[in-house]
Amino acid sequence: MHDIGILGSGRVARALAGKLAGAGHAITIGTRDPARAAAAWAGARVALRDCAEAARRSAIVVNATPGDTSVERLGALREELKGKVLIDVSNATLRGQDGLPSGLLYASGSVAERLQAALPETAVVKTLNTMLFTVMADPTSLRVPPTAFLSGDDENAKAVVRRLLGDLGWPEGYIEDLGELATARGPEAVALLVTAVVRKRGLAPFAFTIAR
Amino acid sequence: MHDIGILGSGRVARALAGKLAGAGHAITIGTRDPARAAAAWAGARVALRDCAEAARRSAIVVNATPGDTSVERLGALREELKGKVLIDVSNATLRGQDGLPSGLLYASGSVAERLQAALPETAVVKTLNTMLFTVMADPTSLRVPPTAFLSGDDENAKAVVRRLLGDLGWPEGYIEDLGELATARGPEAVALLVTAVVRKRGLAPFAFTIAR
């Protein structure tokens, strides 16, 4: 059982919190305004705190904030995140004048690498950003097995994340360890395709995977 | 039966040429130095010409040149490509100091859109750039069905490409029409993940697909 903080209180946070709490972990949601979030989370087995406190009391922290604000928000929590495992599931795209995503916010790099640079005493692991949020905590609901890509520089931290993926319902064979954190550029780039698929198909559950 | 030009004479061109020739199409390979390419293509049922002549004699042209040089090379063939369907299967990534792909050459946009802008009287369709080259002409060899993403502004041109995908062995259900050409940004971004997977797994056949 771990103390797990989830920064962000949107749909991603909700999907992950429910499944991880069900697996026996103690979940703290980190949000800008815990009092305001209380009604939306009524009945959920989670504690609500501000992001700093959620990070402070947790050994493992999930970044479920919007990727375009994550580096600024989490960079301010360097002390609170020191020595922790940070699981980054975020995406950060730019939107063009035509309304389509025109590119990646960090065109040469990734949110994950920026977070690692801002948080040098934290072990950042990228995963789960290549699917609709529903699939993150319900991967075996799809007819075709989805893939959870994994990128990180710290092997121990990746092992921790693998076990948590198991608690989220991911069979070991669905996990594809791409290597060091810089490989997160690949899965993060897939966000551009995620957007195109959602635009066409709506919020029907899907995930990207590798056909072999 | 179509007159099909394939610009480029590498592994992608070879995979496509063999299968399309077998389906009864007349294939012309466009290469910088046809005389020099002759030995490598000995026995293949293709004609070898320079790129201008290959484009001129074909109703459908495939861009199988490296994506980082495609806009310059094909932009010079505006007259030869006028009124033609151009199938762009290319990718263009930047390489960082760490040897990993550091980003996309056209970070806000895509090779396909750049080609369309350079070739306004040509109908550009993006497809097949999200897989190892072997899968382009042998999609049913994988255990999990791969996806051929399709992006283009001209519906007639997309219908032509759909039929050619059929000749390449793609069942209709494997084809995912994402919409207009600007949606090519999604599949092109996947190139960053393709590179990571090849680096880890080598040249074992694979393709990206959507699990549902």
Side-chain angles (χ1 to χ4, degrees):
Chain A
M1 198 277 277
H2 290 293
D3 289 306
I4 299 177
I6 301 180
L7 307 183
S9 58
R11 295 179 297 192
V12 171
R14 183 169 288 277
L16 296 177
K19 193 72 173 269
L20 290 173
H25 299 289
I27 307 297
T28 304
I29 300 294
T31 178
R32 289 181 204 270
D33 189 343
R36 193 174 153 206
W41 288 83
R45 284 183 291 166
V46 304
L48 293 169
R49 296 291 185 276
D50 64 33
C51 286
E53 177 58 21
R56 195 177 296 119
R57 66 195 278 173
S58 304
I60 300 168
V61 178
V62 178
N63 175 32
T65 69
D68 53 345
T69 64
S70 293
V71 175
E72 189 186 354
R73 290 177 68 176
L74 275 66
L77 304 176
R78 182 166 165 175
E79 276 308 309
E80 291 83 352
L81 290 168
K82 202 170 181 169
K84 313 289 176 72
V85 173
L86 177 65
I87 307 175
D88 176 34
V89 304
S90 74
N91 281 312
T93 56
L94 300 168
R95 196 158 290 275
Q97 291 182 322
D98 56 4
L100 277 172
S102 62
L104 302 167
L105 177 61
Y106 303 116
S108 288
S110 58
V111 183
E113 289 166 280
R114 297 292 182 110
L115 286 170
Q116 186 63 82
L119 303 164
E121 303 96 0
T122 302
V124 178
V125 177
K126 186 88 195 187
T127 193
L128 293 183
N129 70 303
T130 53
M131 60 199 71
L132 197 72
F133 63 95
T134 58
V135 180
M136 294 177 179
D138 194 14
T140 54
S141 63
L142 303 180
R143 288 190 308 278
V144 169
T147 297
F149 297 102
L150 204 61
S151 306
D153 292 332
D154 184 316
E155 293 302 325
N156 292 329
K158 280 203 281 197
V160 168
V161 176
R162 271 185 183 273
R163 287 192 294 273
L164 278 193
L165 287 172
D167 291 339
L168 287 168
W170 289 84
E172 186 67 24
Y174 289 18
I175 301 172
E176 178 84 12
D177 186 344
L178 293 172
E180 66 270 29
L181 193 64
T183 61
R185 295 168 192 176
E188 287 199 20
V190 172
L192 294 177
L193 190 50
V194 168
T195 316
V197 172
V198 169
R199 195 172 63 111
K200 188 186 169 200
R201 300 248 187 184
L203 293 179
F206 74 92
F208 288 93
T209 191
I210 303 177
R212 292 193 173 95
Chain B
M1 197 278 276
H2 291 294
D3 290 307
I4 299 177
I6 300 179
L7 307 184
S9 57
R11 294 180 298 191
V12 171
R14 182 169 290 275
L16 297 177
K19 192 74 172 269
L20 291 172
H25 299 290
I27 308 298
T28 303
I29 300 295
T31 179
R32 290 181 204 268
D33 189 343
R36 194 175 153 205
W41 288 82
R45 283 182 294 163
V46 303
L48 293 168
R49 298 289 186 277
D50 64 35
C51 286
E53 177 57 21
R56 195 177 294 119
R57 65 195 279 175
S58 304
I60 300 168
V61 178
V62 178
N63 175 33
T65 69
D68 54 345
T69 63
S70 293
V71 175
E72 188 185 355
R73 289 177 67 176
L74 275 66
L77 305 177
R78 182 166 166 176
E79 276 308 309
E80 290 83 351
L81 290 168
K82 202 171 183 170
K84 313 289 176 70
V85 173
L86 177 65
I87 307 174
D88 177 33
V89 303
S90 75
N91 281 312
T93 55
L94 300 169
R95 197 157 290 273
Q97 291 182 322
D98 56 3
L100 277 171
S102 62
L104 302 167
L105 178 61
Y106 303 115
S108 288
S110 58
V111 183
E113 289 167 277
R114 296 293 182 110
L115 286 171
Q116 186 64 81
L119 303 165
E121 304 97 358
T122 303
V124 178
V125 177
K126 186 89 195 189
T127 193
L128 292 184
N129 70 302
T130 52
M131 62 199 69
L132 196 74
F133 64 94
T134 58
V135 179
M136 295 178 178
D138 194 14
T140 55
S141 62
L142 303 180
R143 287 190 308 276
V144 169
T147 297
F149 297 103
L150 203 62
S151 305
D153 293 332
D154 184 317
E155 293 302 323
N156 293 328
K158 279 203 280 197
V160 168
V161 176
R162 271 185 183 274
R163 288 193 293 275
L164 279 193
L165 287 173
D167 292 339
L168 286 168
W170 288 84
E172 186 67 24
Y174 289 16
I175 302 172
E176 178 85 11
D177 186 345
L178 293 172
E180 68 271 29
L181 194 64
T183 62
R185 294 167 193 177
E188 287 198 20
V190 172
L192 294 178
L193 190 48
V194 168
T195 316
V197 172
V198 169
R199 194 171 63 110
K200 187 185 170 204
R201 299 247 189 185
L203 294 179
F206 74 91
F208 288 95
T209 191
I210 305 177
R212 292 193 172 92

PDB file of all heavy atoms in Angstrom, chain A residues 11 131-133 191-204 206 208, chain B residues 176 178 210 212:
ATOM      1  N   ARG A  11     -10.929  14.498 -15.157  1.00  0.00           N
ATOM      2  CA  ARG A  11     -11.370  13.147 -15.491  1.00  0.00           C
ATOM      3  C   ARG A  11     -10.257  12.120 -15.346  1.00  0.00           C
ATOM      4  O   ARG A  11     -10.487  10.976 -14.939  1.00  0.00           O
ATOM      5  CB  ARG A  11     -11.913  13.127 -16.924  1.00  0.00           C
ATOM      6  CG  ARG A  11     -13.167  13.968 -17.065  1.00  0.00           C
ATOM      7  CD  ARG A  11     -13.695  13.970 -18.469  1.00  0.00           C
ATOM      8  NE  ARG A  11     -12.755  14.565 -19.423  1.00  0.00           N
ATOM      9  CZ  ARG A  11     -13.064  14.882 -20.664  1.00  0.00           C
ATOM     10  NH1 ARG A  11     -14.289  14.658 -21.123  1.00  0.00           N
ATOM     11  NH2 ARG A  11     -12.175  15.409 -21.465  1.00  0.00           N
ATOM     12  N   MET A 131      -3.929   7.441 -24.707  1.00  0.00           N
ATOM     13  CA  MET A 131      -5.232   6.771 -24.723  1.00  0.00           C
ATOM     14  C   MET A 131      -6.286   7.699 -24.128  1.00  0.00           C
ATOM     15  O   MET A 131      -5.960   8.686 -23.476  1.00  0.00           O
ATOM     16  CB  MET A 131      -5.168   5.498 -23.873  1.00  0.00           C
ATOM     17  CG  MET A 131      -4.805   5.754 -22.407  1.00  0.00           C
ATOM     18  SD  MET A 131      -4.213   4.266 -21.563  1.00  0.00           S
ATOM     19  CE  MET A 131      -2.606   4.056 -22.342  1.00  0.00           C
ATOM     20  N   LEU A 132      -7.541   7.351 -24.366  1.00  0.00           N
ATOM     21  CA  LEU A 132      -8.612   8.054 -23.675  1.00  0.00           C
ATOM     22  C   LEU A 132      -8.512   7.737 -22.176  1.00  0.00           C
ATOM     23  O   LEU A 132      -8.150   6.626 -21.795  1.00  0.00           O
ATOM     24  CB  LEU A 132      -9.970   7.608 -24.229  1.00  0.00           C
ATOM     25  CG  LEU A 132     -11.131   8.554 -23.885  1.00  0.00           C
ATOM     26  CD1 LEU A 132     -11.037   9.851 -24.690  1.00  0.00           C
ATOM     27  CD2 LEU A 132     -12.468   7.894 -24.105  1.00  0.00           C
ATOM     28  N   PHE A 133      -8.869   8.698 -21.357  1.00  0.00           N
ATOM     29  CA  PHE A 133      -8.647   8.549 -19.907  1.00  0.00           C
ATOM     30  C   PHE A 133      -9.329   7.305 -19.330  1.00  0.00           C
ATOM     31  O   PHE A 133      -8.834   6.697 -18.383  1.00  0.00           O
ATOM     32  CB  PHE A 133      -9.107   9.805 -19.160  1.00  0.00           C
ATOM     33  CG  PHE A 133     -10.586  10.082 -19.291  1.00  0.00           C
ATOM     34  CD1 PHE A 133     -11.475   9.636 -18.326  1.00  0.00           C
ATOM     35  CD2 PHE A 133     -11.078  10.772 -20.382  1.00  0.00           C
ATOM     36  CE1 PHE A 133     -12.841   9.875 -18.450  1.00  0.00           C
ATOM     37  CE2 PHE A 133     -12.448  11.012 -20.509  1.00  0.00           C
ATOM     38  CZ  PHE A 133     -13.322  10.560 -19.543  1.00  0.00           C
ATOM     39  N   ALA A 191      -0.012  12.458 -28.985  1.00  0.00           N
ATOM     40  CA  ALA A 191      -1.128  13.320 -28.573  1.00  0.00           C
ATOM     41  C   ALA A 191      -1.782  13.999 -29.776  1.00  0.00           C
ATOM     42  O   ALA A 191      -2.994  14.245 -29.783  1.00  0.00           O
ATOM     43  CB  ALA A 191      -0.638  14.371 -27.575  1.00  0.00           C
ATOM     44  N   LEU A 192      -0.983  14.288 -30.796  1.00  0.00           N
ATOM     45  CA  LEU A 192      -1.557  14.933 -31.986  1.00  0.00           C
ATOM     46  C   LEU A 192      -2.536  14.002 -32.692  1.00  0.00           C
ATOM     47  O   LEU A 192      -3.510  14.443 -33.296  1.00  0.00           O
ATOM     48  CB  LEU A 192      -0.446  15.362 -32.947  1.00  0.00           C
ATOM     49  CG  LEU A 192       0.488  16.454 -32.422  1.00  0.00           C
ATOM     50  CD1 LEU A 192       1.604  16.733 -33.434  1.00  0.00           C
ATOM     51  CD2 LEU A 192      -0.283  17.736 -32.150  1.00  0.00           C
ATOM     52  N   LEU A 193      -2.258  12.720 -32.630  1.00  0.00           N
ATOM     53  CA  LEU A 193      -3.147  11.741 -33.252  1.00  0.00           C
ATOM     54  C   LEU A 193      -4.347  11.457 -32.348  1.00  0.00           C
ATOM     55  O   LEU A 193      -5.471  11.283 -32.835  1.00  0.00           O
ATOM     56  CB  LEU A 193      -2.361  10.460 -33.545  1.00  0.00           C
ATOM     57  CG  LEU A 193      -3.007   9.385 -34.390  1.00  0.00           C
ATOM     58  CD1 LEU A 193      -3.594   9.936 -35.672  1.00  0.00           C
ATOM     59  CD2 LEU A 193      -1.993   8.299 -34.722  1.00  0.00           C
ATOM     60  N   VAL A 194      -4.123  11.452 -31.047  1.00  0.00           N
ATOM     61  CA  VAL A 194      -5.229  11.280 -30.093  1.00  0.00           C
ATOM     62  C   VAL A 194      -6.313  12.323 -30.378  1.00  0.00           C
ATOM     63  O   VAL A 194      -7.501  12.013 -30.461  1.00  0.00           O
ATOM     64  CB  VAL A 194      -4.726  11.412 -28.638  1.00  0.00           C
ATOM     65  CG1 VAL A 194      -5.900  11.533 -27.664  1.00  0.00           C
ATOM     66  CG2 VAL A 194      -3.856  10.213 -28.259  1.00  0.00           C
ATOM     67  N   THR A 195      -5.886  13.564 -30.547  1.00  0.00           N
ATOM     68  CA  THR A 195      -6.841  14.640 -30.782  1.00  0.00           C
ATOM     69  C   THR A 195      -7.628  14.407 -32.059  1.00  0.00           C
ATOM     70  O   THR A 195      -8.845  14.621 -32.099  1.00  0.00           O
ATOM     71  CB  THR A 195      -6.088  15.981 -30.870  1.00  0.00           C
ATOM     72  OG1 THR A 195      -5.123  16.032 -29.828  1.00  0.00           O
ATOM     73  CG2 THR A 195      -7.036  17.141 -30.746  1.00  0.00           C
ATOM     74  N   ALA A 196      -6.950  13.986 -33.109  1.00  0.00           N
ATOM     75  CA  ALA A 196      -7.633  13.745 -34.384  1.00  0.00           C
ATOM     76  C   ALA A 196      -8.663  12.619 -34.245  1.00  0.00           C
ATOM     77  O   ALA A 196      -9.761  12.693 -34.800  1.00  0.00           O
ATOM     78  CB  ALA A 196      -6.609  13.409 -35.473  1.00  0.00           C
ATOM     79  N   VAL A 197      -8.310  11.594 -33.489  1.00  0.00           N
ATOM     80  CA  VAL A 197      -9.226  10.458 -33.328  1.00  0.00           C
ATOM     81  C   VAL A 197     -10.434  10.856 -32.482  1.00  0.00           C
ATOM     82  O   VAL A 197     -11.574  10.513 -32.803  1.00  0.00           O
ATOM     83  CB  VAL A 197      -8.487   9.244 -32.711  1.00  0.00           C
ATOM     84  CG1 VAL A 197      -9.468   8.140 -32.351  1.00  0.00           C
ATOM     85  CG2 VAL A 197      -7.443   8.722 -33.683  1.00  0.00           C
ATOM     86  N   VAL A 198     -10.208  11.617 -31.406  1.00  0.00           N
ATOM     87  CA  VAL A 198     -11.329  12.061 -30.568  1.00  0.00           C
ATOM     88  C   VAL A 198     -12.269  12.946 -31.379  1.00  0.00           C
ATOM     89  O   VAL A 198     -13.491  12.835 -31.278  1.00  0.00           O
ATOM     90  CB  VAL A 198     -10.819  12.804 -29.315  1.00  0.00           C
ATOM     91  CG1 VAL A 198     -11.960  13.504 -28.594  1.00  0.00           C
ATOM     92  CG2 VAL A 198     -10.109  11.838 -28.368  1.00  0.00           C
ATOM     93  N   ARG A 199     -11.699  13.813 -32.197  1.00  0.00           N
ATOM     94  CA  ARG A 199     -12.521  14.706 -33.023  1.00  0.00           C
ATOM     95  C   ARG A 199     -13.427  13.912 -33.953  1.00  0.00           C
ATOM     96  O   ARG A 199     -14.573  14.268 -34.197  1.00  0.00           O
ATOM     97  CB  ARG A 199     -11.606  15.625 -33.842  1.00  0.00           C
ATOM     98  CG  ARG A 199     -12.283  16.812 -34.454  1.00  0.00           C
ATOM     99  CD  ARG A 199     -11.279  17.763 -35.073  1.00  0.00           C
ATOM    100  NE  ARG A 199     -10.546  17.152 -36.163  1.00  0.00           N
ATOM    101  CZ  ARG A 199     -10.678  17.485 -37.443  1.00  0.00           C
ATOM    102  NH1 ARG A 199     -11.501  18.449 -37.795  1.00  0.00           N
ATOM    103  NH2 ARG A 199      -9.993  16.870 -38.391  1.00  0.00           N
ATOM    104  N   LYS A 200     -12.914  12.804 -34.455  1.00  0.00           N
ATOM    105  CA  LYS A 200     -13.691  12.019 -35.409  1.00  0.00           C
ATOM    106  C   LYS A 200     -14.657  11.046 -34.738  1.00  0.00           C
ATOM    107  O   LYS A 200     -15.775  10.850 -35.177  1.00  0.00           O
ATOM    108  CB  LYS A 200     -12.734  11.234 -36.305  1.00  0.00           C
ATOM    109  CG  LYS A 200     -13.450  10.547 -37.432  1.00  0.00           C
ATOM    110  CD  LYS A 200     -12.548   9.649 -38.235  1.00  0.00           C
ATOM    111  CE  LYS A 200     -13.413   8.813 -39.160  1.00  0.00           C
ATOM    112  NZ  LYS A 200     -12.703   7.612 -39.619  1.00  0.00           N
ATOM    113  N   ARG A 201     -14.204  10.421 -33.666  1.00  0.00           N
ATOM    114  CA  ARG A 201     -14.949   9.302 -33.075  1.00  0.00           C
ATOM    115  C   ARG A 201     -15.608   9.648 -31.749  1.00  0.00           C
ATOM    116  O   ARG A 201     -16.296   8.818 -31.181  1.00  0.00           O
ATOM    117  CB  ARG A 201     -13.998   8.134 -32.833  1.00  0.00           C
ATOM    118  CG  ARG A 201     -13.323   7.624 -34.093  1.00  0.00           C
ATOM    119  CD  ARG A 201     -13.829   6.261 -34.393  1.00  0.00           C
ATOM    120  NE  ARG A 201     -13.115   5.635 -35.483  1.00  0.00           N
ATOM    121  CZ  ARG A 201     -13.447   4.443 -35.973  1.00  0.00           C
ATOM    122  NH1 ARG A 201     -14.433   3.761 -35.440  1.00  0.00           N
ATOM    123  NH2 ARG A 201     -12.798   3.934 -36.982  1.00  0.00           N
ATOM    124  N   GLY A 202     -15.302  10.848 -31.214  1.00  0.00           N
ATOM    125  CA  GLY A 202     -15.842  11.196 -29.912  1.00  0.00           C
ATOM    126  C   GLY A 202     -15.124  10.468 -28.796  1.00  0.00           C
ATOM    127  O   GLY A 202     -14.020   9.964 -28.977  1.00  0.00           O
ATOM    128  N   LEU A 203     -15.764  10.372 -27.636  1.00  0.00           N
ATOM    129  CA  LEU A 203     -15.106   9.847 -26.439  1.00  0.00           C
ATOM    130  C   LEU A 203     -15.303   8.338 -26.270  1.00  0.00           C
ATOM    131  O   LEU A 203     -15.407   7.830 -25.158  1.00  0.00           O
ATOM    132  CB  LEU A 203     -15.591  10.602 -25.200  1.00  0.00           C
ATOM    133  CG  LEU A 203     -15.168  12.081 -25.149  1.00  0.00           C
ATOM    134  CD1 LEU A 203     -15.699  12.764 -23.896  1.00  0.00           C
ATOM    135  CD2 LEU A 203     -13.656  12.232 -25.224  1.00  0.00           C
ATOM    136  N   ALA A 204     -15.383   7.622 -27.392  1.00  0.00           N
ATOM    137  CA  ALA A 204     -15.403   6.161 -27.300  1.00  0.00           C
ATOM    138  C   ALA A 204     -14.012   5.695 -26.868  1.00  0.00           C
ATOM    139  O   ALA A 204     -13.013   6.165 -27.390  1.00  0.00           O
ATOM    140  CB  ALA A 204     -15.767   5.559 -28.652  1.00  0.00           C
ATOM    141  N   PHE A 206     -10.484   4.275 -26.485  1.00  0.00           N
ATOM    142  CA  PHE A 206      -9.473   3.784 -27.417  1.00  0.00           C
ATOM    143  C   PHE A 206      -8.099   4.036 -26.818  1.00  0.00           C
ATOM    144  O   PHE A 206      -7.932   4.838 -25.889  1.00  0.00           O
ATOM    145  CB  PHE A 206      -9.582   4.466 -28.784  1.00  0.00           C
ATOM    146  CG  PHE A 206      -9.082   5.879 -28.792  1.00  0.00           C
ATOM    147  CD1 PHE A 206      -7.757   6.160 -29.107  1.00  0.00           C
ATOM    148  CD2 PHE A 206      -9.915   6.919 -28.457  1.00  0.00           C
ATOM    149  CE1 PHE A 206      -7.277   7.472 -29.091  1.00  0.00           C
ATOM    150  CE2 PHE A 206      -9.444   8.233 -28.420  1.00  0.00           C
ATOM    151  CZ  PHE A 206      -8.130   8.505 -28.747  1.00  0.00           C
ATOM    152  N   PHE A 208      -3.698   3.802 -28.269  1.00  0.00           N
ATOM    153  CA  PHE A 208      -2.771   3.402 -29.312  1.00  0.00           C
ATOM    154  C   PHE A 208      -2.007   2.189 -28.876  1.00  0.00           C
ATOM    155  O   PHE A 208      -1.731   1.994 -27.690  1.00  0.00           O
ATOM    156  CB  PHE A 208      -1.836   4.550 -29.678  1.00  0.00           C
ATOM    157  CG  PHE A 208      -2.603   5.565 -30.437  1.00  0.00           C
ATOM    158  CD1 PHE A 208      -3.189   6.636 -29.796  1.00  0.00           C
ATOM    159  CD2 PHE A 208      -2.855   5.365 -31.773  1.00  0.00           C
ATOM    160  CE1 PHE A 208      -3.979   7.524 -30.491  1.00  0.00           C
ATOM    161  CE2 PHE A 208      -3.650   6.241 -32.466  1.00  0.00           C
ATOM    162  CZ  PHE A 208      -4.211   7.324 -31.834  1.00  0.00           C
TER     163      PHE A 208
ATOM    164  N   GLU B 176      -8.309   4.049 -41.702  1.00  0.00           N
ATOM    165  CA  GLU B 176      -8.923   5.052 -40.814  1.00  0.00           C
ATOM    166  C   GLU B 176      -8.761   6.437 -41.446  1.00  0.00           C
ATOM    167  O   GLU B 176      -7.682   7.028 -41.407  1.00  0.00           O
ATOM    168  CB  GLU B 176      -8.241   5.010 -39.449  1.00  0.00           C
ATOM    169  CG  GLU B 176      -8.743   6.027 -38.441  1.00  0.00           C
ATOM    170  CD  GLU B 176      -9.982   5.549 -37.682  1.00  0.00           C
ATOM    171  OE1 GLU B 176     -10.326   4.348 -37.777  1.00  0.00           O
ATOM    172  OE2 GLU B 176     -10.607   6.387 -37.007  1.00  0.00           O
ATOM    173  N   LEU B 178      -8.886  10.046 -41.323  1.00  0.00           N
ATOM    174  CA  LEU B 178      -8.886  11.035 -40.236  1.00  0.00           C
ATOM    175  C   LEU B 178      -9.532  12.346 -40.660  1.00  0.00           C
ATOM    176  O   LEU B 178      -9.931  13.140 -39.817  1.00  0.00           O
ATOM    177  CB  LEU B 178      -7.458  11.314 -39.768  1.00  0.00           C
ATOM    178  CG  LEU B 178      -6.725  10.165 -39.070  1.00  0.00           C
ATOM    179  CD1 LEU B 178      -5.259  10.540 -38.855  1.00  0.00           C
ATOM    180  CD2 LEU B 178      -7.379   9.825 -37.743  1.00  0.00           C
ATOM    181  N   ILE B 210      -5.048   1.505 -33.566  1.00  0.00           N
ATOM    182  CA  ILE B 210      -5.934   1.965 -32.506  1.00  0.00           C
ATOM    183  C   ILE B 210      -6.607   0.757 -31.897  1.00  0.00           C
ATOM    184  O   ILE B 210      -7.280  -0.001 -32.598  1.00  0.00           O
ATOM    185  CB  ILE B 210      -6.995   2.941 -33.065  1.00  0.00           C
ATOM    186  CG1 ILE B 210      -6.307   4.099 -33.787  1.00  0.00           C
ATOM    187  CG2 ILE B 210      -7.878   3.451 -31.933  1.00  0.00           C
ATOM    188  CD1 ILE B 210      -7.297   5.057 -34.428  1.00  0.00           C
ATOM    189  N   ARG B 212      -9.548  -0.652 -29.688  1.00  0.00           N
ATOM    190  CA  ARG B 212     -10.881  -0.201 -29.269  1.00  0.00           C
ATOM    191  C   ARG B 212     -11.581  -1.335 -28.525  1.00  0.00           C
ATOM    192  O   ARG B 212     -11.223  -2.476 -28.666  1.00  0.00           O
ATOM    193  CB  ARG B 212     -11.728   0.202 -30.491  1.00  0.00           C
ATOM    194  CG  ARG B 212     -11.231   1.434 -31.174  1.00  0.00           C
ATOM    195  CD  ARG B 212     -12.262   1.970 -32.144  1.00  0.00           C
ATOM    196  NE  ARG B 212     -11.853   3.267 -32.675  1.00  0.00           N
ATOM    197  CZ  ARG B 212     -11.157   3.452 -33.781  1.00  0.00           C
ATOM    198  NH1 ARG B 212     -10.807   2.424 -34.507  1.00  0.00           N
ATOM    199  NH2 ARG B 212     -10.794   4.650 -34.157  1.00  0.00           N
TER     200      ARG B 212
END
